[in-house]
Amino acid sequence: MPDLKVRPTYRSRRRRQAVHLYVGRVFRPGWSPTMSKPSVLITRKLPAAVMASLDDVADVARPAGDTHADLVAAVAGKQALVSMVTDQVDRAVIEAGDALRVIANVGVGYNNIDVGFARERGIVVTNTPDVLSRATADLAWALILGITRRLGEGERLVRRGAWPGWAFDQLLGMELNGKTLGIVGFGRIGREVAARAPAFGMTVVHTGRTADSLPLDRLLSTADVVSLHVPLSPATTHLIDQAALARMKRGAYLINTSRGPVVDEAALVWALKSRLIAGAALDVYEREPVVHPDLLAFENVLLAPHLGSATTETRTAMADLAVRNVLAVLSGEPPLTPVI
Ligand code: DGY
């Protein structure tokens, strides 16, 4: 006889947990069944398992479209906003959000939110650190391997039917073993990237505030691969400009999985044209989804469409954490991962 016992699915387990959370926290003393559920605005569809837990405890709405004006129009009267890193949650949105108590960004970066203004209005802002560090570090390594072993060039060759077959000196790349990886920004993601380096025989140097950190100038002139992991702020905008690129070792590679404006793209084009560096692999851009047109023409540039955290498991965990932040704030509890 087959075992007919049905194991609870992720969806039903999550649903029960969320209901318990709601019953235990949102339905506090004084609650009556006639009270309405909190209203939550989500700017994009979330994974089904996460949606189920939210649907159980809140009235969930989506803006009519994907524009900023749609967001401004939809946020009025909502107690919580679940935003994506591509949503500009600026003064206009926050002012229109007359009932907002929490803005939960699905992303570790929150440069899309006017955090100072939200704070002035007493609105809690949360992000999703930790849960995406591994996936983003993996993607940084995919770019490091892809650019140093010329995978983009090789794939284009094969696809256009121009591959003549194996050749001794064809598409020779740079070996990682024995080389130095320079990590700019030694936070959660930077450390995850560093943790994978011994597997490839690389030595790690990094910027930061610890005794073993290097100043950026020294790191740039030491590393064979420079990987960027700083948050975007006025201090890090165009951190990698002409002067920084000129300091890099000839034959070094630049990898960016942080935020596009950390690199001055015009300066990067200049450095590539001048052959100051061997190549670049980018996951993020100054004006996404627009890519500097000159970058498209270089064989030694690998371009990915902002895929850092793009695995099913990580995106589900990010959405789940954002929703748990919303439920915590709406029930009067401290948020799990507030933006400090
Ligand atoms: C983040 O979390 O900031 C990422 O860029 C989203 O993928």
Side-chain angles (χ1 to χ4, degrees), residues 85 106-110 128 132 257-259 284 306 308-310 315 318:
V85 294
V106 183
V108 68
Y110 48 84
T128 60
L132 48 62
T257 54
S258 62
R259 283 290 182 265
V284 288
H306 202 149
S309 62
R315 287 285 161 85
M318 290 164 71

Side-chain angles (χ1 to χ4, degrees), residues 291-310:
V291 177
H292 192 301
D294 291 2
L295 289 175
L296 301 172
F298 290 107
E299 284 288 5
N300 55 341
V301 172
L302 183 59
L303 304 168
H306 202 149
L307 295 177
S309 62

Side-chain angles (χ1 to χ4, degrees), residues 32 65 129 173 180 213 256 274 307 322:
S32 98
T180 300
S213 306
N256 190 11
S274 320
L307 295 177

